[in-house]
Amino acid sequence: MGRRALPPSSSSSSTTTTSPELRRKRTAAPPPPPSPRRYRSISDVMRRSLPVDAAPPVARAYESTRCDVCGSGERDEELLLCDGCDRGRHTFCLRPIAARVPTGPWFCPPCAPRSKPVKRFPMTQTKIVDFFRIQKGAEDAEAEKCGLFQDVKKRRKRSLVMHKKRRRILPYVPTEDKVQRLKQMASLATAMTSSKMKFSNELTYMPGMAGRSCNQATLEEGGMQILPKEDKETIELCRTMQKRGECPPLLVVFDSREGFTVQADADIKDMTFIAEYTGDVDFLENRANDDGDSIMTLLLTEDPSKRLVICPDKRGNISRFINGINNHTLDGKKKKNIKCVRYDIDGESHVLLVACRDIACGEKLYYDYNGYEHEYPTHHFV
């Protein structure tokens, strides 16, 4: 750009005249600076102020919120406020019970979007085989299964004195009726697809979580019991049966108060192996803010940063749906029919669920969620 031309000065040619407006602009005095603003002192303000008879501030709505179910406003740390209507409900008054205060928005049942009805998994053999990745060639494996069962029976016939010293784990007895077995597996597939889970009958180690090398049973604080050889053979037998589609005699049913829960579809003897607790293995510190209600302790180390948990929110098996007891009441403790035990198996920690008494057909399965840390809030369990 060219430079702006300067206005002509008084020394220019006599023929050049200066406009009055321009001359006034040149000679006009600048405006006076604004006078400094004066502020009153706080004492002067208080002296001049007049008293006002105003009502005290109204308490916010949530400070007086009560539970719509029990009518109590106590235990506000467990009182959920609906993001739609601002009404409250205790976590333990919900059905199914909420294990902890959820993260993010929450809506009470009247405001929550209508949930879709549970879509039942089709009872077709091909779909069930694909979902559970059942291995083919079950006919060829019948002889192997019979041989394994005979070995188990031989072990049972050994000295009664040896048997009384240590109670051994027994293999489950699958249902012989193939149609009923399809029904059992379809019920589990229904629960898993409704929970957006994939079936996995073993611990999974995913990238970004704890690696398999972190699962060292020797790191357990206070030591971990090693699974005896006979019991290990029993667990291997049960795993082999499950790969062939011979599942434990269990049904997954939906309860309006407890959600999905597991019940026996046949009589189950004491000390019978039910399932291994499976899912993604992760460090406990990574799940500090996880609001999942099914996280299971896998490894308790002296170093808190090395503690491991099992998270069945994406992958798992039927153990994900076995409910916990209210271990604060006598009636709750009486419902316990499963025990949860951690074993050292080939140097790695595993969680096994085993019957701790005889279970009748139709009876629901329960175990104590607080077998180790006593930190899970079960005092409001049904």
Side-chain angles (χ1 to χ4, degrees):
M1 292 179 62
R3 297 176 61 186
R4 190 174 60 178
L6 295 174
S9 62
S10 58
S11 61
S12 301
S13 173
S14 60
T15 58
T16 305
T17 59
T18 305
S19 65
E21 292 79 3
L22 185 59
R23 186 167 55 250
R24 281 198 299 271
K25 288 183 181 178
R26 288 178 180 173
T27 59
S35 58
R37 189 174 181 180
R38 298 179 61 186
Y39 295 92
R40 297 180 185 273
S41 65
I42 188 63
S43 58
D44 189 29
V45 172
M46 296 300 295
R47 181 174 56 82
R48 293 172 179 269
S49 62
L50 299 176
V52 179
D53 296 331
V58 179
R60 296 181 182 179
Y62 64 79
E63 293 179 357
S64 58
T65 301
R66 295 181 177 273
C67 177
D68 274 3
V69 178
C70 66
S72 171
E74 298 180 354
R75 303 186 67 89
D76 55 349
E77 71 278 4
E78 298 179 274
L79 189 62
L80 304 179
L81 292 180
C82 176
D83 289 302
C85 63
D86 285 337
R87 288 183 291 185
R89 292 204 180 189
H90 286 114
T91 56
F92 49 83
C93 290
L94 294 171
R95 294 295 181 268
I97 291 175
R100 53 178 60 86
V101 177
T103 57
W106 175 82
F107 296 93
C108 65
C111 295
R114 182 174 297 179
S115 59
K116 297 180 180 179
V118 177
K119 185 178 180 181
R120 296 189 176 277
F121 197 87
M123 271 189 55
T124 58
Q125 186 171 355
T126 54
K127 290 185 177 296
I128 290 177
V129 167
D130 292 339
F131 185 85
F132 292 102
R133 300 188 298 277
I134 297 173
Q135 296 178 355
K136 298 180 180 180
E139 296 82 2
D140 299 335
E142 285 297 323
E144 178 188 354
K145 184 186 73 170
C146 294
L148 289 171
F149 266 119
Q150 289 177 358
D151 292 341
V152 173
K153 290 180 179 179
K154 288 179 181 178
R155 294 203 304 267
R156 292 183 191 175
K157 293 179 180 180
R158 290 177 183 175
S159 171
L160 291 177
V161 177
M162 294 296 295
H163 182 73
K164 289 181 180 179
K165 283 186 177 180
R166 189 187 63 79
R167 302 175 66 196
R168 292 172 179 161
I169 299 176
L170 306 177
Y172 63 80
V173 180
T175 303
E176 294 183 1
D177 186 352
K178 293 184 178 180
V179 175
Q180 187 62 20
R181 244 179 14 227
L182 283 177
K183 181 179 178 182
Q184 294 165 0
M185 289 187 285
S187 69
L188 174 57
T190 298
M192 296 190 71
T193 52
S194 299
S195 304
K196 299 179 180 180
M197 291 174 57
K198 293 183 178 180
F199 178 76
S200 176
N201 218 24
E202 57 187 16
L203 297 176
T204 50
Y205 300 90
M206 305 301 296
M209 299 185 186
R212 187 163 190 169
S213 60
C214 300
N215 184 8
Q216 300 180 32
T218 54
L219 298 178
E220 175 75 11
E221 186 176 8
M224 182 180 295
Q225 56 184 328
I226 299 176
L227 186 69
K229 180 181 177 181
E230 296 84 356
D231 291 342
K232 183 181 175 182
E233 292 174 355
T234 299
I235 302 303
E236 290 299 329
L237 168 61
C238 294
R239 288 174 177 172
T240 302
M241 289 193 293
Q242 289 175 331
K243 289 178 181 179
R244 292 196 298 261
E246 298 167 355
C247 59
L250 303 170
L251 279 172
V252 183
V253 297
F254 185 80
D255 186 279
S256 59
R257 300 186 304 166
E258 300 177 275
F260 285 110
T261 184
V262 180
Q263 71 179 31
D265 199 34
D267 293 341
I268 300 176
K269 292 184 178 181
D270 185 15
M271 290 299 296
T272 296
F273 174 72
I274 301 298
E276 178 183 355
Y277 205 95
T278 63
D280 295 339
V281 179
D282 200 359
F283 292 107
L284 176 61
E285 60 182 12
N286 292 346
R287 301 285 176 154
N289 299 320
D290 197 317
D291 58 358
D293 61 348
S294 301
I295 296 177
M296 170 68 72
T297 300
L298 178 64
L299 194 63
L300 279 176
T301 61
E302 186 176 355
D303 184 355
S305 65
K306 296 182 179 180
R307 294 180 178 179
L308 302 180
V309 291
I310 305 172
C311 309
D313 51 341
K314 295 181 180 179
R315 281 162 285 272
N317 59 9
I318 197 168
S319 58
R320 160 70 175 79
F321 303 102
I322 300 178
N323 286 344
I325 63 168
N326 183 335
N327 52 12
H328 295 269
T329 64
L330 182 60
D331 290 338
K333 293 179 180 180
K334 288 181 179 179
K335 294 165 65 174
K336 178 182 175 181
N337 49 22
I338 299 293
K339 64 179 179 180
C340 173
V341 190
R342 288 183 295 146
Y343 284 106
D344 177 347
I345 304 179
D346 296 332
E348 298 179 350
S349 176
H350 291 264
V351 180
L352 305 184
L353 300 179
V354 182
C356 60
R357 62 173 173 83
D358 291 342
I359 304 174
C361 179
E363 186 178 351
K364 291 183 179 179
L365 272 56
Y366 294 95
Y367 69 98
D368 189 355
Y369 281 4
N370 290 322
Y372 297 99
E373 297 93 336
H374 301 282
E375 293 180 354
Y376 202 91
T378 66
H379 47 288
H380 294 297
F381 277 20
V382 177

